[in-house]
Amino acid sequence: MGYSVTTPPGPPPILYNHHHPNPKSITHLTRRSLLLSAPLSLTLRPPPSSAAVSPPPPDTTITDRVFMDFSLCPTYFRPLSSPDSKPALCPDSLPLGRLVLGLYGHHVPLTVSNFKSMCTSSAYKGTLVHKLFPGQFFLAGHQGDKPGDVRRPTGLARNTETVDSKAFALTHSRPGLISLNLSENDDEDDIKLDPDYRNVEFLITSGPGPCPDLDYKNIVFGTVLEGLDVVTAIAAIPTYRPSEKIQQFNDFAEFIGDERAMNARALWNKPLKTVYISDCGELNVTKPSLSPPSLP
């Protein structure tokens, strides 16, 4: 009598359809879904860069101190005959006071060195404050051959900081800042075209507020440490300003190329009283300040 061995039935075959997906597909779809579900910001995040680090602020350590004495000449500015190389330009002058200027030699060493040389050599002595813009600033150090002009300086280094963007970082944010005058410079063209030309014209902000129109066009290289009242006194001097009708006529003359327009415009903003630098030089101190004082 024979036996028949019956193999127990195995598990039913798995049918891969939409109800039972393939395990490989499960893994594949899971990875894909994870990738698709990841935030877009993670995949588009830029790599870390050192460009995001802001540059350090300009170094406004005061490395040098110079002084300038300003005086008022009530009888205009007439050179007197004298055997001296620099005759007394105004024998009956009225002192306005002294400015003590702190210079930022670490920030713009070339600009500071040239300015200090002009002070120690008395090159600014006897020269005029030739333009005054009420509520903003005044100009001095104009080069020329007339009485009260600065004679063309010699022996100064070529100032390459005038083409360095870092030198223009400081703004004209308050009264009492001294700046190398570039945008408002009015030296004669024949002087500027000289290969040995060195710009030594400077401006001092007089307040009461900032002068944003001067920012990034002129090089701030120092501050008034003492004598802000002298700056205020100079700023209060009246200036020549033509009427609106004359200004419009001048604008039209300049538009049609009349050279007389520029000559007439050169008289605008000139002080009606003669203010000049009666003395200048360097002040030697044992320990320079680490930072400029806070001025109102």
Side-chain angles (χ1 to χ4, degrees), residues 118-149:
M118 293 291 292
C119 291
T120 55
S121 64
S122 298
Y124 285 131
K125 185 176 180 179
T127 61
L128 291 170
V129 172
H130 64 283
K131 287 287 183 70
L132 201 163
F133 296 84
Q136 300 182 70
F137 57 93
F138 62 82
L139 303 180
H142 174 78
Q143 294 185 47
D145 301 320
K146 299 177 182 178
D149 287 342

PDB file of all heavy atoms in Angstrom, residues 118-149:
ATOM      1  N   MET A 118      53.491 121.259   5.234  1.00  0.00           N
ATOM      2  CA  MET A 118      53.043 122.605   4.876  1.00  0.00           C
ATOM      3  C   MET A 118      52.934 123.500   6.114  1.00  0.00           C
ATOM      4  O   MET A 118      53.194 124.708   6.048  1.00  0.00           O
ATOM      5  CB  MET A 118      51.690 122.540   4.164  1.00  0.00           C
ATOM      6  CG  MET A 118      51.730 121.883   2.795  1.00  0.00           C
ATOM      7  SD  MET A 118      52.602 122.884   1.571  1.00  0.00           S
ATOM      8  CE  MET A 118      51.479 124.269   1.407  1.00  0.00           C
ATOM      9  N   CYS A 119      52.575 122.900   7.245  1.00  0.00           N
ATOM     10  CA  CYS A 119      52.458 123.683   8.481  1.00  0.00           C
ATOM     11  C   CYS A 119      53.827 124.002   9.072  1.00  0.00           C
ATOM     12  O   CYS A 119      54.096 125.140   9.472  1.00  0.00           O
ATOM     13  CB  CYS A 119      51.607 122.920   9.501  1.00  0.00           C
ATOM     14  SG  CYS A 119      49.859 122.782   9.073  1.00  0.00           S
ATOM     15  N   THR A 120      54.711 123.005   9.121  1.00  0.00           N
ATOM     16  CA  THR A 120      56.016 123.220   9.751  1.00  0.00           C
ATOM     17  C   THR A 120      56.918 124.129   8.915  1.00  0.00           C
ATOM     18  O   THR A 120      57.799 124.795   9.453  1.00  0.00           O
ATOM     19  CB  THR A 120      56.715 121.876   9.998  1.00  0.00           C
ATOM     20  OG1 THR A 120      56.807 121.152   8.758  1.00  0.00           O
ATOM     21  CG2 THR A 120      55.941 121.044  10.998  1.00  0.00           C
ATOM     22  N   SER A 121      56.698 124.172   7.603  1.00  0.00           N
ATOM     23  CA  SER A 121      57.487 125.058   6.749  1.00  0.00           C
ATOM     24  C   SER A 121      56.870 126.444   6.616  1.00  0.00           C
ATOM     25  O   SER A 121      57.368 127.284   5.852  1.00  0.00           O
ATOM     26  CB  SER A 121      57.629 124.438   5.354  1.00  0.00           C
ATOM     27  OG  SER A 121      56.366 124.330   4.718  1.00  0.00           O
ATOM     28  N   SER A 122      55.761 126.669   7.332  1.00  0.00           N
ATOM     29  CA  SER A 122      55.039 127.954   7.296  1.00  0.00           C
ATOM     30  C   SER A 122      54.517 128.289   5.908  1.00  0.00           C
ATOM     31  O   SER A 122      54.314 129.463   5.573  1.00  0.00           O
ATOM     32  CB  SER A 122      55.932 129.099   7.806  1.00  0.00           C
ATOM     33  OG  SER A 122      56.293 128.882   9.157  1.00  0.00           O
ATOM     34  N   ALA A 123      54.303 127.251   5.084  1.00  0.00           N
ATOM     35  CA  ALA A 123      53.791 127.489   3.731  1.00  0.00           C
ATOM     36  C   ALA A 123      52.359 128.011   3.752  1.00  0.00           C
ATOM     37  O   ALA A 123      51.933 128.710   2.822  1.00  0.00           O
ATOM     38  CB  ALA A 123      53.879 126.205   2.914  1.00  0.00           C
ATOM     39  N   TYR A 124      51.607 127.678   4.795  1.00  0.00           N
ATOM     40  CA  TYR A 124      50.229 128.179   4.908  1.00  0.00           C
ATOM     41  C   TYR A 124      50.180 129.560   5.561  1.00  0.00           C
ATOM     42  O   TYR A 124      49.138 130.229   5.512  1.00  0.00           O
ATOM     43  CB  TYR A 124      49.382 127.225   5.744  1.00  0.00           C
ATOM     44  CG  TYR A 124      48.965 125.948   5.037  1.00  0.00           C
ATOM     45  CD1 TYR A 124      49.132 124.712   5.651  1.00  0.00           C
ATOM     46  CD2 TYR A 124      48.370 125.982   3.780  1.00  0.00           C
ATOM     47  CE1 TYR A 124      48.734 123.536   5.022  1.00  0.00           C
ATOM     48  CE2 TYR A 124      47.971 124.825   3.145  1.00  0.00           C
ATOM     49  CZ  TYR A 124      48.162 123.597   3.772  1.00  0.00           C
ATOM     50  OH  TYR A 124      47.765 122.447   3.142  1.00  0.00           O
ATOM     51  N   LYS A 125      51.274 129.981   6.170  1.00  0.00           N
ATOM     52  CA  LYS A 125      51.273 131.248   6.897  1.00  0.00           C
ATOM     53  C   LYS A 125      51.059 132.422   5.937  1.00  0.00           C
ATOM     54  O   LYS A 125      51.697 132.519   4.891  1.00  0.00           O
ATOM     55  CB  LYS A 125      52.601 131.421   7.647  1.00  0.00           C
ATOM     56  CG  LYS A 125      52.652 132.661   8.526  1.00  0.00           C
ATOM     57  CD  LYS A 125      53.957 132.717   9.317  1.00  0.00           C
ATOM     58  CE  LYS A 125      54.019 133.957  10.186  1.00  0.00           C
ATOM     59  NZ  LYS A 125      55.269 134.005  10.989  1.00  0.00           N
ATOM     60  N   GLY A 126      50.138 133.302   6.295  1.00  0.00           N
ATOM     61  CA  GLY A 126      49.852 134.460   5.457  1.00  0.00           C
ATOM     62  C   GLY A 126      48.926 134.178   4.291  1.00  0.00           C
ATOM     63  O   GLY A 126      48.822 134.997   3.385  1.00  0.00           O
ATOM     64  N   THR A 127      48.238 133.024   4.292  1.00  0.00           N
ATOM     65  CA  THR A 127      47.336 132.685   3.189  1.00  0.00           C
ATOM     66  C   THR A 127      45.886 132.786   3.644  1.00  0.00           C
ATOM     67  O   THR A 127      45.573 132.700   4.833  1.00  0.00           O
ATOM     68  CB  THR A 127      47.623 131.266   2.662  1.00  0.00           C
ATOM     69  OG1 THR A 127      47.403 130.309   3.707  1.00  0.00           O
ATOM     70  CG2 THR A 127      49.062 131.167   2.188  1.00  0.00           C
ATOM     71  N   LEU A 128      45.018 132.942   2.673  1.00  0.00           N
ATOM     72  CA  LEU A 128      43.625 133.297   2.941  1.00  0.00           C
ATOM     73  C   LEU A 128      42.710 132.100   3.156  1.00  0.00           C
ATOM     74  O   LEU A 128      42.939 131.013   2.615  1.00  0.00           O
ATOM     75  CB  LEU A 128      43.063 134.102   1.766  1.00  0.00           C
ATOM     76  CG  LEU A 128      43.594 135.506   1.531  1.00  0.00           C
ATOM     77  CD1 LEU A 128      43.088 136.038   0.184  1.00  0.00           C
ATOM     78  CD2 LEU A 128      43.157 136.430   2.650  1.00  0.00           C
ATOM     79  N   VAL A 129      41.642 132.351   3.921  1.00  0.00           N
ATOM     80  CA  VAL A 129      40.429 131.540   3.837  1.00  0.00           C
ATOM     81  C   VAL A 129      39.650 132.142   2.666  1.00  0.00           C
ATOM     82  O   VAL A 129      39.063 133.218   2.778  1.00  0.00           O
ATOM     83  CB  VAL A 129      39.613 131.612   5.143  1.00  0.00           C
ATOM     84  CG1 VAL A 129      38.266 130.911   4.966  1.00  0.00           C
ATOM     85  CG2 VAL A 129      40.388 130.981   6.294  1.00  0.00           C
ATOM     86  N   HIS A 130      39.692 131.480   1.529  1.00  0.00           N
ATOM     87  CA  HIS A 130      39.228 132.135   0.302  1.00  0.00           C
ATOM     88  C   HIS A 130      37.783 131.824  -0.076  1.00  0.00           C
ATOM     89  O   HIS A 130      37.197 132.510  -0.909  1.00  0.00           O
ATOM     90  CB  HIS A 130      40.145 131.766  -0.878  1.00  0.00           C
ATOM     91  CG  HIS A 130      40.138 130.311  -1.227  1.00  0.00           C
ATOM     92  ND1 HIS A 130      40.814 129.362  -0.491  1.00  0.00           N
ATOM     93  CD2 HIS A 130      39.542 129.634  -2.250  1.00  0.00           C
ATOM     94  CE1 HIS A 130      40.650 128.174  -1.036  1.00  0.00           C
ATOM     95  NE2 HIS A 130      39.871 128.319  -2.103  1.00  0.00           N
ATOM     96  N   LYS A 131      37.190 130.794   0.515  1.00  0.00           N
ATOM     97  CA  LYS A 131      35.784 130.493   0.246  1.00  0.00           C
ATOM     98  C   LYS A 131      35.124 130.065   1.548  1.00  0.00           C
ATOM     99  O   LYS A 131      35.733 129.391   2.388  1.00  0.00           O
ATOM    100  CB  LYS A 131      35.646 129.360  -0.785  1.00  0.00           C
ATOM    101  CG  LYS A 131      35.984 129.739  -2.217  1.00  0.00           C
ATOM    102  CD  LYS A 131      34.912 130.623  -2.830  1.00  0.00           C
ATOM    103  CE  LYS A 131      35.193 130.944  -4.291  1.00  0.00           C
ATOM    104  NZ  LYS A 131      35.040 129.791  -5.176  1.00  0.00           N
ATOM    105  N   LEU A 132      33.853 130.434   1.684  1.00  0.00           N
ATOM    106  CA  LEU A 132      33.114 130.107   2.897  1.00  0.00           C
ATOM    107  C   LEU A 132      31.683 129.759   2.506  1.00  0.00           C
ATOM    108  O   LEU A 132      30.987 130.563   1.886  1.00  0.00           O
ATOM    109  CB  LEU A 132      33.146 131.303   3.854  1.00  0.00           C
ATOM    110  CG  LEU A 132      32.879 131.075   5.340  1.00  0.00           C
ATOM    111  CD1 LEU A 132      33.370 132.282   6.130  1.00  0.00           C
ATOM    112  CD2 LEU A 132      31.406 130.857   5.616  1.00  0.00           C
ATOM    113  N   PHE A 133      31.270 128.561   2.849  1.00  0.00           N
ATOM    114  CA  PHE A 133      29.918 128.089   2.538  1.00  0.00           C
ATOM    115  C   PHE A 133      29.141 128.021   3.858  1.00  0.00           C
ATOM    116  O   PHE A 133      29.357 127.105   4.656  1.00  0.00           O
ATOM    117  CB  PHE A 133      29.967 126.725   1.847  1.00  0.00           C
ATOM    118  CG  PHE A 133      30.645 126.756   0.517  1.00  0.00           C
ATOM    119  CD1 PHE A 133      32.035 126.669   0.426  1.00  0.00           C
ATOM    120  CD2 PHE A 133      29.924 126.889  -0.656  1.00  0.00           C
ATOM    121  CE1 PHE A 133      32.676 126.708  -0.799  1.00  0.00           C
ATOM    122  CE2 PHE A 133      30.554 126.932  -1.887  1.00  0.00           C
ATOM    123  CZ  PHE A 133      31.941 126.836  -1.962  1.00  0.00           C
ATOM    124  N   PRO A 134      28.272 128.992   4.105  1.00  0.00           N
ATOM    125  CA  PRO A 134      27.590 129.085   5.406  1.00  0.00           C
ATOM    126  C   PRO A 134      26.849 127.789   5.756  1.00  0.00           C
ATOM    127  O   PRO A 134      26.178 127.192   4.914  1.00  0.00           O
ATOM    128  CB  PRO A 134      26.605 130.245   5.209  1.00  0.00           C
ATOM    129  CG  PRO A 134      27.206 131.070   4.115  1.00  0.00           C
ATOM    130  CD  PRO A 134      27.876 130.091   3.206  1.00  0.00           C
ATOM    131  N   GLY A 135      27.020 127.375   7.006  1.00  0.00           N
ATOM    132  CA  GLY A 135      26.357 126.164   7.481  1.00  0.00           C
ATOM    133  C   GLY A 135      26.983 124.879   6.990  1.00  0.00           C
ATOM    134  O   GLY A 135      26.430 123.803   7.236  1.00  0.00           O
ATOM    135  N   GLN A 136      28.163 124.958   6.326  1.00  0.00           N
ATOM    136  CA  GLN A 136      28.775 123.746   5.806  1.00  0.00           C
ATOM    137  C   GLN A 136      30.280 123.674   6.104  1.00  0.00           C
ATOM    138  O   GLN A 136      30.712 122.894   6.941  1.00  0.00           O
ATOM    139  CB  GLN A 136      28.549 123.649   4.288  1.00  0.00           C
ATOM    140  CG  GLN A 136      27.087 123.600   3.886  1.00  0.00           C
ATOM    141  CD  GLN A 136      26.937 123.449   2.382  1.00  0.00           C
ATOM    142  OE1 GLN A 136      27.224 122.410   1.804  1.00  0.00           O
ATOM    143  NE2 GLN A 136      26.479 124.516   1.743  1.00  0.00           N
ATOM    144  N   PHE A 137      31.087 124.524   5.421  1.00  0.00           N
ATOM    145  CA  PHE A 137      32.540 124.425   5.557  1.00  0.00           C
ATOM    146  C   PHE A 137      33.188 125.673   4.987  1.00  0.00           C
ATOM    147  O   PHE A 137      32.535 126.502   4.343  1.00  0.00           O
ATOM    148  CB  PHE A 137      33.071 123.190   4.812  1.00  0.00           C
ATOM    149  CG  PHE A 137      32.722 123.154   3.342  1.00  0.00           C
ATOM    150  CD1 PHE A 137      33.592 123.673   2.390  1.00  0.00           C
ATOM    151  CD2 PHE A 137      31.522 122.614   2.900  1.00  0.00           C
ATOM    152  CE1 PHE A 137      33.286 123.653   1.042  1.00  0.00           C
ATOM    153  CE2 PHE A 137      31.199 122.587   1.549  1.00  0.00           C
ATOM    154  CZ  PHE A 137      32.074 123.104   0.623  1.00  0.00           C
ATOM    155  N   PHE A 138      34.498 125.811   5.238  1.00  0.00           N
ATOM    156  CA  PHE A 138      35.271 126.868   4.591  1.00  0.00           C
ATOM    157  C   PHE A 138      36.538 126.270   3.997  1.00  0.00           C
ATOM    158  O   PHE A 138      37.000 125.201   4.413  1.00  0.00           O
ATOM    159  CB  PHE A 138      35.574 128.032   5.538  1.00  0.00           C
ATOM    160  CG  PHE A 138      36.416 127.690   6.738  1.00  0.00           C
ATOM    161  CD1 PHE A 138      37.800 127.606   6.647  1.00  0.00           C
ATOM    162  CD2 PHE A 138      35.827 127.476   7.976  1.00  0.00           C
ATOM    163  CE1 PHE A 138      38.585 127.313   7.745  1.00  0.00           C
ATOM    164  CE2 PHE A 138      36.604 127.181   9.093  1.00  0.00           C
ATOM    165  CZ  PHE A 138      37.982 127.093   8.977  1.00  0.00           C
ATOM    166  N   LEU A 139      37.088 126.962   2.986  1.00  0.00           N
ATOM    167  CA  LEU A 139      38.239 126.487   2.228  1.00  0.00           C
ATOM    168  C   LEU A 139      39.452 127.363   2.485  1.00  0.00           C
ATOM    169  O   LEU A 139      39.336 128.579   2.654  1.00  0.00           O
ATOM    170  CB  LEU A 139      37.947 126.500   0.712  1.00  0.00           C
ATOM    171  CG  LEU A 139      36.746 125.719   0.200  1.00  0.00           C
ATOM    172  CD1 LEU A 139      36.652 125.873  -1.321  1.00  0.00           C
ATOM    173  CD2 LEU A 139      36.859 124.251   0.569  1.00  0.00           C
ATOM    174  N   ALA A 140      40.634 126.743   2.466  1.00  0.00           N
ATOM    175  CA  ALA A 140      41.904 127.464   2.567  1.00  0.00           C
ATOM    176  C   ALA A 140      42.962 126.654   1.824  1.00  0.00           C
ATOM    177  O   ALA A 140      42.766 125.477   1.521  1.00  0.00           O
ATOM    178  CB  ALA A 140      42.300 127.672   4.028  1.00  0.00           C
ATOM    179  N   GLY A 141      44.097 127.310   1.533  1.00  0.00           N
ATOM    180  CA  GLY A 141      45.188 126.616   0.857  1.00  0.00           C
ATOM    181  C   GLY A 141      45.154 126.710  -0.656  1.00  0.00           C
ATOM    182  O   GLY A 141      45.788 125.901  -1.341  1.00  0.00           O
ATOM    183  N   HIS A 142      44.457 127.714  -1.191  1.00  0.00           N
ATOM    184  CA  HIS A 142      44.395 127.898  -2.646  1.00  0.00           C
ATOM    185  C   HIS A 142      45.768 128.300  -3.190  1.00  0.00           C
ATOM    186  O   HIS A 142      46.434 129.193  -2.657  1.00  0.00           O
ATOM    187  CB  HIS A 142      43.369 128.979  -2.975  1.00  0.00           C
ATOM    188  CG  HIS A 142      43.320 129.368  -4.415  1.00  0.00           C
ATOM    189  ND1 HIS A 142      42.684 128.607  -5.370  1.00  0.00           N
ATOM    190  CD2 HIS A 142      43.840 130.439  -5.074  1.00  0.00           C
ATOM    191  CE1 HIS A 142      42.797 129.197  -6.542  1.00  0.00           C
ATOM    192  NE2 HIS A 142      43.502 130.310  -6.397  1.00  0.00           N
ATOM    193  N   GLN A 143      46.201 127.635  -4.271  1.00  0.00           N
ATOM    194  CA  GLN A 143      47.502 127.931  -4.868  1.00  0.00           C
ATOM    195  C   GLN A 143      47.377 128.996  -5.948  1.00  0.00           C
ATOM    196  O   GLN A 143      46.409 129.026  -6.702  1.00  0.00           O
ATOM    197  CB  GLN A 143      48.108 126.659  -5.477  1.00  0.00           C
ATOM    198  CG  GLN A 143      48.476 125.595  -4.463  1.00  0.00           C
ATOM    199  CD  GLN A 143      49.180 124.421  -5.098  1.00  0.00           C
ATOM    200  OE1 GLN A 143      50.101 124.595  -5.889  1.00  0.00           O
ATOM    201  NE2 GLN A 143      48.764 123.213  -4.733  1.00  0.00           N
ATOM    202  N   GLY A 144      48.364 129.867  -6.023  1.00  0.00           N
ATOM    203  CA  GLY A 144      48.378 130.917  -7.035  1.00  0.00           C
ATOM    204  C   GLY A 144      49.516 131.887  -6.783  1.00  0.00           C
ATOM    205  O   GLY A 144      50.368 131.669  -5.922  1.00  0.00           O
ATOM    206  N   ASP A 145      49.501 132.975  -7.545  1.00  0.00           N
ATOM    207  CA  ASP A 145      50.560 133.983  -7.451  1.00  0.00           C
ATOM    208  C   ASP A 145      50.073 135.303  -6.870  1.00  0.00           C
ATOM    209  O   ASP A 145      50.835 136.267  -6.789  1.00  0.00           O
ATOM    210  CB  ASP A 145      51.156 134.235  -8.847  1.00  0.00           C
ATOM    211  CG  ASP A 145      51.738 132.963  -9.450  1.00  0.00           C
ATOM    212  OD1 ASP A 145      52.372 132.200  -8.692  1.00  0.00           O
ATOM    213  OD2 ASP A 145      51.562 132.726 -10.660  1.00  0.00           O
ATOM    214  N   LYS A 146      48.808 135.366  -6.460  1.00  0.00           N
ATOM    215  CA  LYS A 146      48.262 136.602  -5.903  1.00  0.00           C
ATOM    216  C   LYS A 146      48.535 136.670  -4.397  1.00  0.00           C
ATOM    217  O   LYS A 146      48.807 135.647  -3.767  1.00  0.00           O
ATOM    218  CB  LYS A 146      46.756 136.669  -6.167  1.00  0.00           C
ATOM    219  CG  LYS A 146      46.383 136.666  -7.639  1.00  0.00           C
ATOM    220  CD  LYS A 146      44.873 136.652  -7.808  1.00  0.00           C
ATOM    221  CE  LYS A 146      44.483 136.599  -9.284  1.00  0.00           C
ATOM    222  NZ  LYS A 146      43.006 136.529  -9.453  1.00  0.00           N
ATOM    223  N   PRO A 147      48.468 137.864  -3.824  1.00  0.00           N
ATOM    224  CA  PRO A 147      48.618 137.970  -2.359  1.00  0.00           C
ATOM    225  C   PRO A 147      47.568 137.121  -1.639  1.00  0.00           C
ATOM    226  O   PRO A 147      46.386 137.144  -1.990  1.00  0.00           O
ATOM    227  CB  PRO A 147      48.403 139.462  -2.094  1.00  0.00           C
ATOM    228  CG  PRO A 147      48.751 140.127  -3.381  1.00  0.00           C
ATOM    229  CD  PRO A 147      48.352 139.189  -4.465  1.00  0.00           C
ATOM    230  N   GLY A 148      48.032 136.338  -0.680  1.00  0.00           N
ATOM    231  CA  GLY A 148      47.123 135.468   0.059  1.00  0.00           C
ATOM    232  C   GLY A 148      47.024 134.064  -0.498  1.00  0.00           C
ATOM    233  O   GLY A 148      46.392 133.207   0.127  1.00  0.00           O
ATOM    234  N   ASP A 149      47.635 133.805  -1.663  1.00  0.00           N
ATOM    235  CA  ASP A 149      47.642 132.460  -2.232  1.00  0.00           C
ATOM    236  C   ASP A 149      48.819 131.659  -1.698  1.00  0.00           C
ATOM    237  O   ASP A 149      49.863 132.216  -1.332  1.00  0.00           O
ATOM    238  CB  ASP A 149      47.741 132.510  -3.762  1.00  0.00           C
ATOM    239  CG  ASP A 149      46.455 132.968  -4.422  1.00  0.00           C
ATOM    240  OD1 ASP A 149      45.404 132.925  -3.755  1.00  0.00           O
ATOM    241  OD2 ASP A 149      46.503 133.377  -5.601  1.00  0.00           O
TER     242      ASP A 149
END
